[in-house]
Amino acid sequence: MATTENSYTTSDATTTDFAFTFPYMKEADVNIDVAGTKQHTTAYSFHDATTIRLNTAPASGVAVKVYRTTDDSGLTATFYPGSAIRSSDLNNNFTQNLYSTQEVVDRYISKYGDIAMEGDLNLGGKNIIGL
């Protein structure tokens, strides 16, 4: 199974840098949740290509998750009749598809019961609270 997220529990109230180990296409595809709340892009920045830096350190014992959500609202490249087809454009489209598929597979609930669900489940106002 591909890695699409990295999770942490803070051990102090001073840590602001959170590394992640998954590839991504654009920085906008990388998100961070603190205590189950998605952070707005003004609350963090990229320290380097594989580290998110929060503006404010979370309290000790807080869950932090860095994850990828690849933009799937349109293809990375579009091909037109009579134009050249570049291998980089084909590769980018396939990479976008691969990443989106990995994210779905990583986050779905299997009907076979072989994947444990973490967190709460909201079914249109009927909530199932995880223990």
Side-chain angles (χ1 to χ4, degrees):
M1 182 178 261
T3 299
T4 62
E5 63 184 51
N6 296 112
S7 298
Y8 302 91
T9 301
T10 57
S11 59
D12 56 45
T14 61
T15 301
T16 57
D17 289 357
F18 297 91
F20 57 93
T21 59
F22 51 83
Y24 59 94
M25 295 185 74
K26 299 180 293 188
E27 285 185 357
D29 296 341
V30 180
N31 302 283
I32 187 165
D33 283 2
V34 176
T37 303
K38 182 178 178 182
Q39 300 301 295
H40 192 272
T41 55
T42 58
Y44 64 89
S45 59
F46 275 75
H47 175 64
D48 59 35
T50 59
T51 306
I52 292 283
R53 175 171 285 167
L54 290 168
N55 297 340
T56 305
S60 180
V62 170
V64 175
K65 178 173 69 170
V66 182
Y67 60 100
R68 183 183 72 210
T69 54
T70 304
D71 181 12
D72 62 356
S73 61
L75 292 173
T76 302
T78 304
F79 304 102
Y80 299 98
S83 65
I85 297 176
R86 299 181 322 177
S87 62
S88 62
D89 290 337
L90 287 171
N91 287 335
N92 286 339
N93 278 0
F94 279 105
T95 299
Q96 178 188 26
N97 189 359
L98 173 66
Y99 288 176
S100 293
T101 301
Q102 289 172 340
E103 292 155 15
V104 168
V105 168
D106 194 39
R107 296 178 183 122
Y108 83 110
I109 301 172
S110 174
K111 69 179 182 178
Y112 301 110
D114 58 346
I115 297 176
M117 184 189 127
E118 297 176 11
D120 301 340
L121 178 62
N122 181 336
L123 301 171
K126 307 279 193 247
N127 295 336
I128 299 173
I129 308 299
L131 301 175

